[in-house]
Amino acid sequence: MTGSSEKGNDKGKSFGVTPQSQDFNDWYNEVVVKADLADYSPVKGAMVVKPYGSALWERVQRWLDDKFKETGHESLLFPTLIPMNFIAKEADHVEGFAPELFTVSKIGLEVLDEPYVLRPTSETIIGHMWAGWLNSYRDLPFLHYQWGAVFRAELRTKLFLRTSEFYWHEGHTAHQDEAEARAEVMQMLGIYHEFCRDVLALPVLRGEKTASERFAGAVATYSIEGMMRDGKALQSGTSHYLGQNFSRAFNVKFQTRDQKEEFAHTTSWAISSRIIGALIMTHGDDKGLMMPPNIAPTQVVVIPVGRKDNFDQMVQEGEKLAAELRLGGVRVKVDKRDGVTNGFKYNDWELKGIPVRIELGPRDLESGVVVVKNRTADDKETLPRAEAVAGMVERLNGIQAFLLQRATDFMIENTVTADTYDEFKAAIEAGKWVRAFHSGDPESERQIKEETKATIRNEPLDGSEFFAEREEGVCFHTGKPSGYGKRVIFGRQY
């Protein structure tokens, strides 16, 4: 994974990117690197997140962290190293993660009697600690989460989407009974849905995973699925009901009100840094990124336009304009780079996806106007300076709404219904999501995946805004009755 994303690729211009329609994969790889979000690392499978990408991830963290605390959750920190025997205690868990584990068998020259693994997820070590903390029903619920890095070996890596080390939060909660635990699972899925819709402008499909797609050791897994601009699905967040599986493995039990011993019902939930990949692939175009204003680290860039003899003066005027915008709560950056053409700056900020660009030159200053361009528009506007400043928040809100509607329309237009296997295969080959009846037979799922590379993304939740209608029908693959009481969503995935 070392080296530039443009190695062996001359399709992208030096300051542009390969068009999406020409090669979506190259487009994505070039945008991530050229927009200064991340770069390839000398560590195989790992990435370096650059300041712009880090600022974006910080904004993801800030919104979610505030929401977690509002709903009563508390943060904590666990070790990155986990004893190997912990992973082995939950049979499904070790089977699910074994191929992805990084192990530590030596410290210096000393061979360890018991190896460690680098954290693939923390259910096991948290369960071990909970067993010592939990005594009575009065101690519950435990509402915990942590931010950190996790490690899962990837054979095919892709910046933000598939890396052997990635960043996330993981939530872990313990409850007295199943109903309370399941309510927690749905609450967190709802928070993820709200975040994607209102902050990232990502329409996502909420639903339950099939048994073959569940998290290792879970009783039920729920996901949010987004459609990327190439028609593939990206699992953008998950929330799991773990039942008493991990509690039994780690002896996490408590004394009930009736003086009986009971194992806790537990949950886990997560969104990772791959959500940045979802953002890029949902909102980009042939010029690069399109950053939704609500998540953008910089919402407006001011570009002073001047000659050598008055450039410093125009930078000062740009700073004054930026200060006016900041009074309205707008996140602004002034491009002070000297010796760089205006055209280069315009293209650079378009590539980075900054929602609004303002150009300010000497004639504009004399006339009391500024030149404004939305990232989502082709044309510039010349506006009175005061009007541009006063209307900026409304302008940003309009861009946010436009991007959400654009992505929603794309997802709906590229989701089709199929009733036969031939229809299904043709739609999948065309890069569509497919709504279809399925029997729920795991062997049928396996065959479909093997033959088409498509999987059931999820069974849409009742009441979900997309594709949740209840109806009965016959499985397109086996001819058996539907196993879900509705059509499920198939698609190829990242």
Side-chain angles (χ1 to χ4, degrees):
M1 187 174 167
T2 57
S4 167
S5 67
E6 293 185 69
K7 185 178 180 181
N9 171 29
D10 59 1
K11 287 179 286 186
K13 297 178 181 178
S14 57
F15 298 115
V17 290
T18 298
Q20 291 184 353
S21 59
Q22 186 174 333
D23 192 315
F24 192 84
N25 183 63
D26 281 354
W27 173 87
Y28 176 84
N29 292 336
E30 291 167 16
V31 165
V32 171
V33 173
K34 290 185 176 183
D36 281 333
L37 290 169
D39 205 349
Y40 296 90
S41 162
V43 179
K44 186 177 181 181
M47 64 179 172
V48 175
V49 180
K50 299 180 75 173
Y52 187 32
S54 182
L56 186 57
W57 181 237
E58 285 173 359
R59 291 197 57 77
V60 171
Q61 289 177 297
R62 192 172 301 125
W63 191 96
L64 287 170
D65 203 76
D66 287 346
K67 187 64 69 170
F68 298 158
K69 288 182 170 61
E70 285 174 17
T71 49
H73 297 82
E74 298 176 304
S75 66
L76 35 60
L77 295 168
F78 274 80
T80 301
L81 295 175
I82 298 174
M84 173 69 87
N85 62 45
F86 282 19
I87 303 294
K89 282 187 178 182
E90 211 292 321
D92 291 339
H93 199 61
V94 69
E95 183 179 349
F97 279 109
E100 303 176 353
L101 295 178
F102 287 90
T103 60
V104 177
S105 58
K106 292 174 65 177
I107 296 178
L109 299 177
E110 180 185 352
V111 177
L112 298 175
D113 293 334
E114 176 64 42
Y116 295 103
V117 301
L118 295 180
R119 174 176 56 217
T121 182
S122 298
E123 280 79 5
T124 58
I125 193 169
I126 287 177
H128 174 85
M129 297 306 297
W130 277 352
W133 298 346
L134 179 58
N135 295 300
S136 165
Y137 71 90
R138 297 182 184 90
D139 299 324
L140 294 173
F142 284 164
L143 304 175
H144 297 152
Y145 70 97
Q146 71 170 340
W147 293 93
V150 285
F151 302 83
R152 300 177 187 175
E154 287 287 352
L155 297 176
R156 299 170 60 187
T157 55
K158 194 175 183 70
L159 296 178
F160 287 114
L161 296 180
R162 294 286 181 187
T163 53
S164 292
E165 179 183 7
F166 59 92
Y167 310 99
W168 73 350
H169 66 260
E170 51 179 317
H172 299 274
T173 70
H175 306 266
Q176 293 185 48
D177 56 44
E178 178 176 347
E180 185 179 283
R182 284 189 176 273
E184 166 76 7
V185 169
M186 300 315 295
Q187 173 184 246
M188 301 319 296
L189 193 73
I191 286 173
Y192 291 164
H193 171 251
E194 178 187 355
F195 172 67
C196 287
R197 180 194 63 204
D198 297 346
V199 182
L200 304 183
L202 298 179
V204 289
L205 178 65
R206 290 172 289 166
E208 184 173 359
K209 289 289 196 180
T210 63
S212 61
E213 294 286 324
R214 281 183 199 142
F215 175 71
V219 173
T221 288
Y222 299 85
S223 71
I224 52 173
E225 306 280 336
M227 180 185 280
M228 307 300 99
R229 296 293 293 181
D230 62 350
K232 287 185 180 177
L234 182 67
Q235 181 178 285
S236 301
T238 51
S239 189
H240 315 285
Y241 171 56
L242 305 176
Q244 295 173 310
N245 292 342
F246 287 90
S247 294
R248 291 183 186 279
F250 289 91
N251 207 33
V252 183
K253 56 188 178 181
F254 63 96
Q255 192 172 63
T256 69
R257 296 174 189 272
D258 301 327
Q259 306 299 308
K260 297 177 181 177
E261 275 198 343
E262 183 68 59
F263 289 102
H265 292 256
T266 65
T267 81
S268 66
W269 29 270
I271 277 182
S272 77
S273 47
R274 63 188 277 134
I275 198 71
I276 294 177
L279 183 74
I280 296 165
M281 291 195 292
T282 300
H283 295 310
D285 65 6
D286 287 349
K287 296 177 183 177
L289 288 170
M290 281 186 172
M291 194 70 73
N294 289 356
I295 195 65
T298 299
Q299 296 171 311
V300 177
V301 61
V302 176
I303 300 181
V305 178
R307 303 180 304 273
K308 286 185 178 180
D309 60 346
N310 63 6
F311 182 72
D312 289 344
Q313 178 194 354
M314 294 314 304
V315 168
Q316 292 175 9
E317 293 297 334
E319 291 285 10
K320 292 178 184 177
L321 176 58
E324 295 172 28
L325 289 164
R326 290 187 186 110
L327 290 175
V330 178
R331 298 184 291 278
V332 192
K333 183 180 182 69
V334 179
D335 189 335
K336 305 175 185 179
R337 289 177 291 181
D338 197 1
V340 179
T341 66
N342 294 325
F344 178 89
K345 293 179 182 180
Y346 300 158
N347 290 332
D348 188 38
W349 293 114
E350 294 249 319
L351 177 63
K352 288 181 167 67
I354 305 303
V356 176
R357 182 177 86 225
I358 298 179
E359 302 163 22
L360 179 63
R363 293 181 182 176
D364 303 320
L365 193 62
E366 291 175 6
S367 304
V369 299
V370 292
V371 177
V372 181
K373 184 181 182 303
N374 293 359
R375 176 61 179 84
T376 52
D378 293 328
D379 299 326
K380 300 179 182 181
E381 304 171 69
T382 300
L383 300 172
R385 177 172 175 153
E387 180 183 328
V389 171
M392 188 54 66
V393 171
E394 182 179 353
R395 178 182 293 271
L396 293 169
N397 288 340
I399 294 171
Q400 182 81 20
F402 170 83
L403 288 173
L404 177 60
Q405 191 61 55
R406 173 180 181 258
T408 301
D409 291 345
F410 184 83
M411 181 176 71
I412 292 172
E413 290 165 5
N414 287 280
T415 303
V416 301
T417 300
D419 292 313
T420 69
Y421 198 24
D422 285 342
E423 291 175 351
F424 175 90
K425 288 186 287 187
I428 290 295
E429 203 57 40
K432 308 292 185 181
W433 280 7
V434 179
R435 297 177 64 240
F437 293 115
H438 189 260
S439 62
D441 177 12
E443 178 57 23
S444 169
E445 268 189 79
R446 188 196 64 77
Q447 290 178 10
I448 292 168
K449 181 178 181 179
E450 187 176 284
E451 293 171 8
T452 69
K453 297 184 174 64
T455 57
I456 296 178
R457 302 316 308 144
N458 62 33
E459 173 198 348
L461 289 178
D462 291 341
S464 177
E465 61 269 59
F466 302 117
F467 318 129
E469 302 85 351
R470 296 202 68 84
E471 53 182 320
E472 297 295 338
V474 175
C475 175
F476 71 94
H477 188 247
T478 66
K480 298 177 182 178
S482 166
Y484 301 97
K486 64 179 72 168
R487 294 177 187 268
V488 295
I489 304 299
F490 284 84
R492 290 176 176 166
Q493 66 168 324
Y494 279 98

